[in-house]
Amino acid sequence: MEGLPDLDLPENPKLTANITHFARALRKSGLKAGPGKVLEATRAVAAVGFTSKTDFYWTLHAVFVSRPEERRVFHQVFRLYWRDPRYLEHMMSLMLPAVRGVQEDRAAKPAEKRAAESLLDGIEPERPEGQGEEETDETQIEVDASLTMSAEERLRTLDFEQMSTLEVAEAKRLLARLTLPVKPLQSRRTKAALDGRLPDWRRTMRDAMRQGGEIRDLAKKERRIRWPNLVVLCDISGSMSSYSRMVLHFLHAVANQKGAGWAKVHGFTFGTRLTNITRHLATRDVDAALAAAGAEAQDWEGGTRIGESLHAFNRDWSRRVMGQGAVVLIITDGLDRDDPDRLAKEMERLHLSAKRVIWLNPLLRWEGFAPKAAGIRAMLPHVDTFRAGHNIASLEALAQALSHPDDAGEKARLMAAL
């Protein structure tokens, strides 16, 4: 966690007013910070005192943070609000129009943009000197925006971790409209068909027995078609929390979409343990579904034990959900604490049980990504497709991967680097 700013208290501090404004910023960032929380925070700070900036931080943290995913947002709002002008100056450059090059050129950190958005609500950018209406002799620069991306196109390519509160809400609406169609599979079972290609000798002879042994017509049959299961294993550890929540919104849309072709959509989350959230995905309301799934999965934003979680899946759930040519979708960054040999063994067992294994890894968004981590090196040989999974466009590309059985994504290139 980054260092906390020094708290230079004024001579006449207004504790209640400052905490109230701070709670308002937290509420705009998505946290539950109502009047009751403000009163509780004021009493808590009055009891603890201002002897240490760390004590002050954790006192407010204990009051306003009730879920693991809220920690990152709280930390960034705290840094911006309690006198960290360097962060506020940089975030204003991201939120408001500015000349490129004035501020340092770096991407916003996770939850930083949401924090700045809540604190800068209603603030208008100051007009730079020399650009007033009275100065008409200045050179005017016209920008042709005809080739720029639309807002929706930009949102499709924006990293989930760098989205603001409004962008996250809009992204969830786009994810709810996405489809993930799949082609049917031919079964070994057959059914009667007038124009079938296969001769049905049993029915032909049975009809002939009714006609005194004379064969008048040749009965035909064709193969039945069936739909595969989709099994999703989603990493909800600390490094994956921003991505896993958006993926689960997408998974809920797929699970409740009629006519997509999947026989059944099974969802599992894992961090330090495996949790089956399939029954929660059946809830029509996405917020209620994910709230119930989050309440059952107690390891949100915890550590990562992929090998242990895959062992639990292969032991307890594989035979129940992996039949009929199931497609397995794994969403994880592959950063594992377990023994890589055990992880490779469990991945091999999973690969042998599935018709196809597709791995979405947010780390592929980096151009210089290389399979250096032991967990990634253990998993990569046992997947059929290896793709990025950090924005809406990467989830849309899943349809292409499913429609082309030979699509391996980035696997071949990274396997050559092993």
Side-chain angles (χ1 to χ4, degrees):
M1 181 176 290
E2 303 171 25
L4 301 176
D6 294 331
L7 296 177
D8 301 325
L9 295 177
E11 296 181 359
N12 298 316
K14 297 181 179 179
L15 177 62
T16 304
N18 285 332
I19 292 180
T20 302
H21 190 186
F22 177 64
R24 187 180 302 126
L26 290 176
R27 186 164 58 250
K28 292 179 181 178
S29 298
L31 276 67
K32 295 181 179 179
K37 291 285 187 180
V38 174
L39 181 60
E40 184 179 350
T42 304
R43 291 175 176 174
V45 172
V48 175
F50 286 88
T51 57
S52 168
K53 60 184 179 184
T54 303
D55 291 343
F56 179 67
Y57 173 88
W58 288 112
T59 299
L60 295 181
H61 185 282
V63 174
F64 290 110
V65 177
S66 57
R67 295 184 298 178
E69 61 271 16
E70 297 173 349
R71 298 171 184 168
R72 187 173 291 169
V73 177
F74 174 87
H75 181 70
Q76 297 297 352
V77 175
F78 186 92
R79 288 184 59 86
L80 289 172
Y81 181 76
W82 299 102
R83 297 185 180 90
D84 195 348
R86 184 171 177 271
Y87 264 58
L88 188 60
E89 180 184 4
H90 172 70
M91 292 312 300
M92 286 185 68
S93 70
L94 294 179
M95 301 290 294
L96 305 175
V99 179
R100 183 174 180 84
V102 175
Q103 301 294 335
E104 56 179 312
D105 187 11
R106 70 169 179 84
K109 294 183 179 181
E112 200 175 45
K113 191 173 183 181
R114 291 174 59 187
E117 184 183 59
S118 65
L119 290 173
L120 297 175
D121 184 36
I123 297 180
E124 296 294 335
E126 296 181 359
R127 185 183 299 273
E129 296 182 2
Q131 294 185 9
E133 296 180 358
E134 66 279 359
E135 300 181 7
T136 57
D137 296 335
E138 294 291 335
T139 303
Q140 295 184 358
I141 301 176
E142 296 183 359
V143 179
D144 183 7
S146 59
L147 298 180
T148 57
M149 292 187 298
S150 65
E152 183 172 319
E153 182 64 22
R154 174 185 172 276
L155 191 62
R156 290 178 60 255
T157 58
L158 185 62
D159 194 306
F160 289 141
E161 200 171 36
Q162 305 302 335
M163 289 183 176
S164 66
T165 307
L166 295 179
E167 289 168 342
V168 169
E170 182 61 27
K172 290 177 180 179
R173 285 192 288 269
L174 293 179
L175 290 174
R177 300 201 302 261
L178 292 185
T179 60
L180 194 63
V182 62
K183 294 182 179 179
L185 303 175
Q186 278 196 343
S187 173
R188 290 181 296 177
R189 297 179 180 272
T190 59
K191 64 178 182 179
L194 294 176
D195 55 347
R197 291 186 173 184
L198 302 176
D200 190 346
W201 297 113
R202 176 176 297 180
R203 191 156 59 92
T204 298
M205 297 306 297
R206 187 167 57 245
D207 293 342
M209 293 297 294
R210 297 191 185 99
Q211 305 295 330
E214 180 180 357
I215 299 178
R216 296 183 178 180
D217 297 309
L218 182 62
K220 299 292 186 65
K221 63 182 180 179
E222 64 180 8
R223 294 187 180 275
R224 295 179 181 269
I225 62 172
R226 56 181 176 82
W227 303 96
N229 290 339
L230 176 64
V231 180
V232 181
L233 302 171
C234 186
D235 188 346
I236 57 173
S237 61
S239 60
M240 286 289 300
S241 60
S242 300
Y243 303 100
S244 58
R245 293 187 179 281
M246 303 303 289
V247 170
L248 289 178
H249 269 269
F250 172 63
L251 177 59
H252 179 270
V254 173
N256 290 273
Q257 188 178 61
K258 297 181 179 180
W262 299 104
K264 179 71 175 180
V265 177
H266 300 273
F268 296 84
T269 61
F270 66 90
T272 56
R273 66 177 186 176
L274 184 74
T275 304
N276 187 353
I277 62 170
T278 303
R279 62 189 180 92
H280 300 305
L281 296 176
T283 305
R284 297 294 298 178
D285 184 80
V286 61
D287 294 326
L290 296 187
E296 184 166 348
Q298 299 297 320
D299 51 347
W300 280 95
E301 292 199 2
T304 310
R305 301 187 63 186
I306 305 178
E308 178 65 26
S309 300
L310 289 181
H311 173 71
F313 176 81
N314 290 330
R315 180 194 60 202
D316 301 331
W317 296 100
S318 180
R319 292 187 179 182
R320 305 185 193 183
V321 302
M322 295 289 287
Q324 308 299 317
V327 176
V328 178
L329 180 61
I330 301 179
I331 301 96
T332 180
D333 52 15
L335 305 180
D336 187 30
R337 298 180 179 179
D338 283 343
D339 179 15
D341 294 333
R342 183 184 186 186
L343 176 58
K345 180 180 178 181
E346 297 299 336
M347 279 297 302
E348 181 181 13
R349 181 179 175 184
L350 177 68
H351 192 206
L352 293 174
S353 303
K355 180 177 179 61
R356 193 176 180 188
V357 177
I358 301 175
W359 182 7
L360 297 186
N361 191 331
L363 297 181
L364 268 179
R365 68 188 186 274
W366 305 113
E367 295 182 0
F369 175 81
K372 297 181 179 180
I376 296 177
R377 298 170 69 91
M379 295 177 62
L380 190 58
H382 306 292
V383 299
D384 300 295
T385 304
F386 188 45
R387 285 179 164 268
H390 63 289
N391 55 24
I392 297 176
S394 62
L395 296 181
E396 291 175 339
L398 266 181
Q400 178 183 354
L402 289 172
S403 60
H404 295 83
D406 297 332
D407 181 274
E410 298 292 325
K411 178 182 177 180
R413 178 179 65 84
L414 296 176
M415 284 295 294
L418 289 179

